[in-house]
Each structure stands twice: as C-alpha cells, then as structure tokens.
Amino acid sequence: MENVKKLIVILLVLTACSTPKECCSQNFKKYFKFATFYAAANGGNSISDVDVFSVTNGLETVTVETPYDYNLALGIRKIARFGYENRASTFYDGTEESWSDGANVGKVRGLEFLFEVDYKRQQGNEYLDQHHFIRFVDDRYILKGEYLEDGFADIKYLETSERYRYKVNDKLSFNAGLAQRLSEPYGYDPLAEWMLSNGNIHYTYLALQEGYNVNVAASEYFSPDGELVATSKEVWEEVVIPTMLSDYTERKRNELDQIIQHSFVLGFDYYHYTKSFWSHAWANIMPWHYNDGGEFSYHAYNDGQWLDYNGGLILGYKVNKSLGTFVEGKYNKYWNREWYDFKFGVNYVIF
C-alpha cells in the first residue's frame, strides 16, 4: 500500500500545481462530490469435487475439493459515465467492469479517480487485486497516475504520466509526453543460472541448496524441515520439484528491489456517441525507454529497445428498434506480458 500512498501524493500535488487558482479557492468537498464509496462481498461455489484414482497400493480414491469462490471488494470511485454506459444496478457490488476506465480522457474535464481493492479466491487460488488511478484532464494536458495489481496476469506496477494534449475536435485528440513505471525487474529469470546446456534445469543441485535431502538408495526425499515428501523418483520430479522451483523463483523475485522505467509515450482518444451508434477508441504506445545501464534493466533481457502498448475499442450499433450488435475489447502488453478481455454479440428484442 506504500506505492498507493505515493501515487495519491504525487497526483494531488501535480493537480494542485497545474490549477492553482481553482484548487486554492475550492474546498475539499469538490473533489469528492458525486463520488461513491462501496464495500461488498460476493461468493459462490467453485468447480465441483473431482475423484482421483490410483492403484499404487490397491485401489485408492482421493477426492479433490475446491473451496468456494469469493470476492471482497472495497473501493471509492468518481468517474463520469459515457453515453453508452448504463448503470444497471442500484448499488455498486464490486463486480462492475467498465473498460472505458482505461481511456486516457474521461467524459468530463477535471479530476476523476478510482481506488479499489479486491480479495479474491477463484478455483482455489487466492489473489489480492488492486486498481487505483487518478487523472486530471484539461484541453491541453493530461496528468494520470495508476497502480495495477492483477493476480491472474501476474502483473504489478505503478505508472505516472504527464502529457501534452492536442484536440483535433470534440471527438478526437492526440497526446504525447513522458511516463514513469515502478515495478519488479521483469525479464529476470532466477532459474537461468541453473540451466544446463541441453535446456534442462539442474533441479537436484538446486533442491539440495534449498535444504532438501535425498536418500537415493532408499528412494526417500525429504523437505528442508525433515518431512518425507516422496518415496519415488516419479513423485519427486512431478510433484515436489515443481513446487520447489515455484517457491524458489517467487522468493528470488521478491528479494529484488523495484526499478523505475522512464519512457516516451504517444496516445490518442476518440469518442462519438448517438443513440443508434457509438464508437469509443483509445491507444497508447511506448516506443522508446531510457536505459540506465542497471543490472536488472529490461534492456539487458530484451537485447535493446522494445515496444509497450495498450488500447481499447467499444462499438455499438442499433440497426433498428429490435436488432443491435456490439464489440468491446481491451488489450495490454507491457514488458512482453499480455492481458486482455473482449466480448461481442448480437441482441434482438422479439417484441
């Protein structure tokens, strides 16, 4: 949460400095007017129980149970809805997905923000997901800060950007500026030093270094705390070793300090809305990144410069009173890590 505090301070200072007269003359309530605070709990059953059979010592049956799914959400948001967005429910329940939140500019000028934390369990896996951002949009500039932690995508970073904005008209605008991203050193592979010439991992030596013990003659394998974890080579290689490698890589990654990446960013936003047709598109591209020569710089893992980008598209068309079609999607690629969502379909009202 320390990164989130830094984000709030940075963006509030930038906003205050960019609009001194307005900020000094207005009170605290203005920034939270029309904002909504919400806390919600959602849950449901996960995948059904699975029976696993084995015949090692006669027929044995083990039932693998997956605990129920849940989502505990806590957040506050102040984001104006676009013309195509309808709030279907009376209350915010923490499951809402508004892909337009990823756009560079909002429906209105001024300050908008979102802070949301989700404690999740899905199919037995627990995650802490977070999405926070503050943006201040003016006719000539954009200030934005964002913190994203996505457990499924295994991505976590803090990003701030300062951009000059050029409005072509009321629908289309372009922007250019600088972006700063604070993250773990993506690209670092803790297992690289344990790689053999044939591409395999020297997992036995690594396991011994991590405190495991092996009695080859008795075919017994012990964990660092002395527990017998396998009595066959097959279980050792297929169950214990993968767990050991996962724990090792996670620990080594967590030991490293986060690094900051300075990048040049270009973007655009387009928004057009009528009751029968709407189009909303945005995109950002980071074609150049400053190389500080650090040991864990992504330049070293990528052999030079690389391309980071993200974007979104929302289209809707009502052919007539009964027939309508839509396409929605967003795509992100940072440090060669991808996460995306999309949906499309047709609606037909029979009567």
Side-chain angles (χ1 to χ4, degrees):
M1 295 300 291
E2 186 64 28
N3 289 334
V4 179
K5 295 179 181 178
K6 293 179 181 178
L7 169 63
I8 296 173
V9 173
I10 292 172
L11 267 296
L12 288 179
V13 170
L14 288 174
T15 302
C17 293
S18 63
T19 57
K21 292 182 180 179
E22 183 179 358
C23 291
C24 292
S25 62
Q26 301 296 328
N27 56 37
F28 182 78
K29 292 182 179 179
K30 175 178 178 180
Y31 294 109
F32 289 90
K33 187 177 181 180
F34 302 122
T36 302
F37 172 81
Y38 54 94
N42 304 277
N45 65 290
S46 186
I47 56 177
S48 60
D49 299 343
V50 178
D51 291 332
V52 179
F53 302 95
S54 66
V55 291
T56 305
N57 297 309
L59 179 61
E60 296 181 354
T61 303
V62 177
T63 301
V64 178
E65 299 180 352
T66 303
Y68 66 91
D69 294 344
Y70 65 80
N71 179 16
L72 305 177
L74 182 67
I76 182 171
R77 62 183 291 132
K78 178 187 176 182
I79 306 172
R81 292 192 298 272
F82 288 89
Y84 56 80
E85 294 181 303
N86 293 315
R87 185 173 171 184
S89 58
T90 304
F91 299 101
Y92 286 111
D93 60 19
T95 63
E96 295 83 6
E97 283 191 71
S98 180
W99 292 352
S100 62
D101 291 350
N104 300 310
V105 299
K107 179 67 168 58
V108 298
R109 291 176 53 193
L111 181 70
E112 294 186 309
F113 54 81
L114 166 70
F115 296 96
E116 181 172 330
V117 179
D118 293 272
Y119 296 91
K120 296 181 178 179
R121 182 167 67 196
Q122 291 182 264
Q123 297 185 9
N125 297 314
E126 295 184 348
Y127 300 97
L128 170 61
D129 286 355
Q130 301 185 65
H131 188 202
H132 316 294
F133 79 78
I134 307 175
R135 68 183 173 206
F136 189 91
V137 178
D138 191 77
D139 287 342
R140 295 188 178 182
Y141 61 87
I142 304 171
L143 301 175
K144 185 176 181 179
E146 180 178 32
Y147 179 77
L148 177 69
E149 182 175 354
D150 189 320
F152 274 113
D154 189 26
I155 190 78
K156 179 170 63 175
Y157 63 87
L158 170 68
E159 176 181 314
T160 59
S161 63
E162 311 80 33
R163 314 187 195 191
Y164 167 74
R165 183 188 183 200
Y166 175 71
K167 290 185 67 176
V168 179
N169 49 47
D170 291 337
K171 298 179 181 179
L172 177 64
S173 68
F174 295 92
N175 59 80
L178 300 176
Q180 306 81 34
R181 290 175 293 173
L182 182 69
S183 69
E184 70 173 75
Y186 289 111
Y188 166 66
D189 182 8
L191 298 178
E193 61 181 299
W194 298 96
M195 193 74 68
L196 300 173
S197 58
N198 60 3
N200 294 329
I201 297 293
H202 209 322
Y203 57 81
T204 301
Y205 282 170
L206 176 55
L208 294 176
Q209 175 186 282
E210 291 298 287
Y212 287 84
N213 288 297
V214 179
N215 186 334
V216 179
S219 190
E220 294 179 336
Y221 304 83
F222 300 89
S223 68
D225 58 7
E227 180 185 358
L228 181 65
V229 292
T231 57
S232 68
K233 182 180 179 182
E234 290 75 20
V235 174
W236 168 250
E237 293 181 345
E238 296 179 13
V239 178
V240 181
I241 289 299
T243 301
M244 182 273 296
L245 294 177
S246 177
D247 293 342
Y248 174 77
T249 55
E250 182 177 4
R251 177 171 59 81
K252 295 295 287 186
R253 287 170 57 183
N254 292 337
E255 287 176 355
L256 298 179
D257 293 330
Q258 294 187 323
I259 61 175
I260 188 167
Q261 180 68 66
H262 300 274
S263 307
F264 179 65
V265 60
L266 296 167
F268 84 89
D269 287 80
Y270 177 82
Y271 173 66
H272 169 74
Y273 175 77
T274 67
K275 291 185 178 180
S276 61
F277 174 77
W278 53 90
S279 174
H280 189 190
W282 65 92
N284 299 284
I285 184 171
M286 298 182 187
W288 182 86
H289 315 273
Y290 173 69
N291 185 3
D292 62 2
E295 178 183 359
F296 299 107
S297 170
Y298 194 70
H299 293 79
Y301 305 121
N302 197 66
D303 194 24
Q305 293 290 339
W306 70 97
L307 199 63
D308 286 340
Y309 51 89
N310 63 65
L313 175 65
I314 298 174
L315 288 173
Y317 177 50
K318 291 185 177 180
V319 181
N320 51 47
K321 292 191 299 183
S322 298
L323 179 62
T325 183
F326 66 92
V327 176
E328 299 182 5
K330 61 179 181 178
Y331 180 85
N332 302 269
K333 186 176 183 181
Y334 276 10
W335 302 290
N336 287 320
R337 309 174 82 86
E338 300 175 293
W339 65 104
Y340 51 86
D341 297 283
F342 65 88
K343 58 184 177 181
F344 58 89
V346 175
N347 286 185
Y348 185 82
V349 180
I350 298 177
F351 298 106

